[in-house]
Amino acid sequence: KITTFTNTFGYNLARFISVGDKVPNVNITLLEYKNGEYERTNISTESLFSSGKHILVGYPGAFTPTCESVHLPEYINKAEELKQGGASRVLAMSVNDPFVVKAFAEKLNASNHVEFIADGNGEFTKALDLGVDLGAAGLGYRSRRFSVIIENGKVSEINDEQGPKMTDLSRVTHVLQQLSAKKL
């Protein structure tokens, strides 16, 4: 099933991942905070997302202004509230290498609140079809700004900003509302 739409940047995009779909299986680098530091683990997305409810937050890049000052700090500050709402994990993902992502996580002081995925080659982002070419801005291929709720390996909600800009769609308040509605 392919849904085609035009985003706010005028690109025609084919969305390959939809609500109810199984998360594509790709190997990624997970950065988990353990024993006072971030440890790198190579893991398959199938294994990572197979059980539980996960919040996956996509952001265009480490150290970019909106990601650093607004988008990710909101998720870090509300991580415990997300977990009280039923999330077993909160993960933030960008198309950056693990060294940059680790430095970014440390700068944000995310510690035990949010885990990070370094999608260095953009393989998981491409498999989800949630990427965007920002070459015109000198940034290359990046993740669009989004949030996804994944339950037991399947997508239950997709909040896709369709590019790097941020609206209320991918913000933590919207995800909290979705978690609350699922409890009813």
Side-chain angles (χ1 to χ4, degrees):
K1 174 176 137 179
I2 300 175
T3 305
T4 304
F5 60 96
T6 303
N7 73 5
T8 54
F9 298 98
Y11 302 123
N12 284 326
L13 303 170
R15 177 176 289 152
F16 294 101
I17 192 82
S18 298
V19 170
D21 287 352
K22 186 177 175 187
V23 173
N25 191 26
V26 177
N27 290 322
I28 50 96
T29 302
L30 177 67
L31 294 157
E32 298 175 277
Y33 193 77
K34 294 179 180 177
N35 304 317
E37 63 183 15
Y38 285 94
E39 294 182 9
R40 288 174 41 185
T41 306
N42 292 323
I43 188 170
S44 72
T45 53
E46 181 177 66
S47 176
L48 178 64
F49 295 114
S50 65
S51 66
K53 188 181 294 186
H54 308 274
I55 310 301
L56 176 63
V57 182
Y59 61 100
F63 301 104
T64 56
T66 303
C67 301
E68 184 176 344
S69 65
V70 181
H71 198 214
L72 290 188
E74 288 180 346
Y75 279 91
I76 293 164
N77 293 332
K78 298 281 187 178
E80 294 311 311
E81 199 173 329
L82 289 163
K83 290 174 183 174
Q84 290 169 2
S88 49
R89 290 178 121 148
V90 180
L91 301 112
M93 178 180 78
S94 68
V95 180
N96 285 117
D97 69 71
F99 304 103
V100 169
V101 173
K102 178 182 177 200
F104 187 52
E106 289 170 345
K107 180 161 194 236
L108 292 174
N109 196 27
S111 60
N112 293 317
H113 306 292
V114 174
E115 296 170 74
F116 285 79
I117 294 174
D119 189 18
N121 294 324
E123 291 172 8
F124 188 41
T125 300
K126 289 173 187 170
L128 291 170
D129 198 38
L130 289 171
V132 63
D133 181 357
L134 296 177
L139 299 173
Y141 181 79
R142 296 295 179 121
S143 166
R144 296 197 297 262
R145 193 176 304 282
F146 66 84
S147 59
V148 176
I149 299 175
I150 301 167
E151 297 183 60
N152 300 318
K154 292 190 175 185
V155 174
S156 66
E157 299 285 348
I158 299 175
N159 307 305
D160 180 8
E161 298 284 5
Q162 302 176 22
K165 301 281 186 200
M166 188 168 95
T167 68
D168 288 340
L169 188 61
S170 68
R171 294 184 91 147
V172 72
T173 51
H174 185 68
V175 173
L176 284 166
Q177 290 170 354
Q178 289 173 315
L179 289 173
S180 178
K182 287 183 178 297
K183 285 185 167 183
L184 300 177

